[in-house]
Amino acid sequence: MVHINIFDTTLRDGEQSPGVNLNQLEKLEIARQLERFGVHVMEAGFPASSQGDFEAVQSIARTVKNVSVAGLARASKADIDTTWEALKEAKDPRLHVFIATSPIHMTYKLKKTPEEVMRLAVEMVRYGKSKFPTVQWSAEDASRSDLDFLVHIIEKVIDAGASVINLPDTVGYTTPEEYGRLFRYIKENVPNIDKVTLSAHCHDDLGMAVANSLAAIENGATQVEGTINGIGERAGNAALEEFAVALNIRKDKYPFTTGLILKEIKRTSDLVRKLTGMSIAPNKAVVGQNAFAHESGIHQDGVLKHAQTYEIITPELVGIQSNQLVLGKHSGRHAFKDKIEQLGFSLSEAKLLEAFQDFKSLTDRKKEVTDEDLFTILTDIQTTVTNVKKYELLAFQVQSGTSNLPTATVALKSPEGIRVETARTGKGSVESLYNTLEALIKEEIHLEKYHLSSVGQGRDALAEVHVKMTVNNVPVSGRGSAQDVLEASAKAFLNAVNRVFYNQVFMKKEKAQV
Ligand code: KIV
Ligand code: ZN
């Protein structure tokens, strides 16, 4: 069996998805979960892109210890210096420095000749190696680059100190056969290639990211990059959970191991979905809601007679538990604490108390509190930023029905600590609530997307709302959960608005794009 290192870039390439803006605590929560999932490297961000990214990468580097932490940098000394500052306390820091190598990128984007690109790449790898124990170099748009130029530049950056060479299919253009051929060519033609790890990084524009990653490992790659749920710009990146499960289920065809803990897939996927607000198609492989549902009578009959007639993956393999232990009204603090530890959360005493109070108030309205409910409550508590001024919901009331004008009355505590309240109407209950919130909040708000889902099943399920909006022309997203749909809606709205205050404190520079 050949071991494949998994390089997760959910917090960097994944975070570049439109509308995704995670705060530091949210990134930290995802980082902890990626560590539990067993990734070999996590790319925590792009430290030179903004103050917020810098601080998030730094706090991840200080927190996770069983995984290498990487930071992305353009081919510039300033980027490399900033990345080192962010990562120097990591147990195993890695510089990920990239430059484009395809004719189209070099000519139009970089406006540099191949010789200039080669010189810069070598110089920056050498500079990076003077600071970092591990330097990964990426040839952006490798799949559309000239093969002989690639061979040449790779040989030189290896000599300069790179120990991982990544060949991204940046625009998701390649096919499995072509991408496999690229790796084989590089393996066979770069004289010093045996000194390094070859890495695959695939985008899913043509729906082939996972297939391309599999082709890469069949042709010499021993690192695969991707994201949880396949999130990322445009059509996203290779979905790591799909890649890992494909290797597990088709061991007969793919003699490779990853070291990933497959039972953590469900939790990792849920956390990323919840915090990024990027919902998952019900039919998505491995983690979609219907991935294990058998609707047709023939299939149901077959599965009952012998599960493997129609089920090649068991829900248990990816951590979906059929009989969740539930807590209720009479569960005490001890049972609650045990449960949250089982769920993998470690909370401070203050947060534990807050979580217990939220749990108790939920049990007043809901007979059985499931793992999914607790996961939602605990995630909210773990990721709430407390040290930034913000709007807080004090009280609200909405009147609506078929024969009256929906009207909301809301009281908020403003960031200055003042109680403000007003009432507005709307065409529906959510609209009246949002009109009222908008009237109370001084910022310029445009709601772009509203998405309501339920956490688990049953008429008393928790509601979860994700919104996307612009606040003073800055795109932000927000999420909120509560048993009441309107309360969850109000929380999501305020969660998005409050990110503006967070960004004012932490995103002092405009975020640079890759
Ligand atoms: O897709 C890509 O080329 C990238 C690089 C920055 C590695 O994400
Ligand atoms: Zn990418």
Side-chain angles (χ1 to χ4, degrees), residues 13-62:
D13 225 347
E15 225 248 341
Q16 274 172 226
S17 311
V20 173
N21 61 325
L22 300 169
N23 69 33
Q24 192 174 314
L25 293 179
E26 290 163 340
K27 287 184 185 174
L28 207 52
E29 209 46 39
I30 292 177
R32 287 199 188 98
Q33 181 55 30
L34 290 172
E35 188 178 25
R36 242 177 257 135
F37 184 31
V39 303
H40 183 73
V41 186
M42 69 173 76
E43 186 163 47
F46 177 14
S49 69
S50 72
Q51 180 74 10
D53 243 41
F54 178 91
E55 288 180 18
V57 172
Q58 191 174 50
S59 78
I60 291 169
R62 287 174 176 158

Side-chain angles (χ1 to χ4, degrees), residues 160-375:
S163 52
V164 183
I165 301 293
N166 183 34
L167 303 176
D169 179 31
T170 303
V171 292
Y173 179 76
T174 202
T175 67
E177 190 271 324
E178 278 170 1
Y179 199 52
R181 205 155 13 96
L182 167 65
F183 279 79
R184 182 164 305 173
Y185 191 84
I186 296 301
K187 265 295 256 191
E188 287 172 356
N189 290 281
V190 176
N192 49 1
I193 201 71
D194 288 338
K195 290 189 181 161
V196 298
T197 299
L198 263 183
S199 173
H201 176 114
C202 297
H203 282 266
D204 208 29
D205 299 65
L206 297 176
M208 291 192 274
V210 171
N212 287 339
S213 307
L214 291 167
I217 61 170
E218 287 185 298
N219 288 281
T222 50
Q223 173 175 290
V224 164
E225 308 194 359
T227 59
I228 303 302
N229 301 336
I231 66 167
E233 253 183 311
R234 309 184 312 275
N237 291 57
L240 287 177
E241 68 284 355
E242 290 180 21
F243 176 78
V245 170
L247 290 189
N248 180 283
I249 299 296
R250 296 305 312 271
K251 296 183 193 71
D252 57 323
K253 170 111 180 85
Y254 298 109
F256 302 95
T257 54
T258 61
L260 289 176
I261 314 292
L262 299 188
K263 280 198 178 338
E264 292 291 335
I265 285 180
K266 166 88 171 106
R267 190 182 197 279
T268 317
S269 163
D270 279 352
L271 185 70
V272 170
R273 178 189 50 74
K274 210 177 264 298
L275 296 184
T276 59
M278 293 198 65
S279 47
I280 297 172
N283 61 329
K284 161 141 179 5
V286 180
V287 291
Q289 234 170 37
N290 296 351
F292 300 98
H294 300 278
E295 196 68 32
S296 99
I298 295 174
H299 287 203
Q300 284 174 351
D301 182 54
V303 169
L304 286 175
K305 287 181 175 142
H306 191 301
Q308 279 170 17
T309 49
Y310 288 101
E311 195 173 77
I312 61 161
I313 316 167
T314 62
E316 291 75 27
L317 180 78
V318 297
I320 299 172
Q321 286 162 356
S322 42
N323 43 5
Q324 295 181 323
L325 276 177
V326 286
L327 295 181
K329 214 178 177 55
H330 302 294
S331 308
R333 260 188 89 140
H334 271 304
F336 181 72
K337 200 165 171 231
D338 282 355
K339 187 74 194 176
I340 64 175
E341 274 162 15
Q342 264 174 40
L343 288 174
F345 284 91
S346 98
L347 301 188
S348 64
E349 271 308 307
K351 288 196 170 183
L352 183 66
L353 185 65
E354 192 185 338
F356 189 63
Q357 280 160 354
D358 282 5
F359 159 70
K360 277 289 168 193
S361 68
L362 187 59
T363 59
D364 286 341
R365 285 172 283 160
K366 198 169 186 290
K367 210 167 138 231
E368 289 179 337
V369 176
T370 64
D371 284 3
E372 274 175 311
D373 296 331
L374 283 180
F375 183 65

Side-chain angles (χ1 to χ4, degrees), residues 12-13 72 96 98 138 140-141 166 168-170 201 203 225 514:
R12 199 279 297 169
D13 225 347
L72 185 73
H96 179 192
F98 75 99
S138 284
E140 190 188 12
D141 208 14
N166 183 34
D169 179 31
T170 303
H201 176 114
H203 282 266
E225 308 194 359
V514 175

Side-chain angles (χ1 to χ4, degrees), residues 105-161:
H105 276 235
M106 290 191 288
T107 310
Y108 296 103
K109 187 180 81 169
L110 299 177
K111 299 192 188 344
K112 288 193 192 306
T113 63
E115 292 68 34
E116 286 170 322
V117 167
M118 173 114 66
R119 218 173 307 122
L120 193 56
V122 168
E123 203 186 314
M124 289 307 118
V125 167
R126 191 168 296 123
Y127 184 68
K129 189 62 189 167
S130 69
K131 294 175 178 266
F132 283 83
T134 308
V135 175
Q136 164 166 336
W137 178 76
S138 284
E140 190 188 12
D141 208 14
S143 55
R144 295 191 299 169
S145 299
D146 176 76
L147 282 179
D148 291 327
F149 179 59
L150 272 184
V151 166
H152 212 50
I153 193 169
I154 290 171
E155 182 186 353
K156 296 273 180 271
V157 294
I158 296 173
D159 283 343

Side-chain angles (χ1 to χ4, degrees), residues 496-508:
V497 170
N498 284 332
R499 276 174 209 261
V500 172
F501 301 102
Y502 177 86
N503 290 350
Q504 278 165 5
V505 177
F506 291 100
M507 306 275 185
K508 288 170 198 138

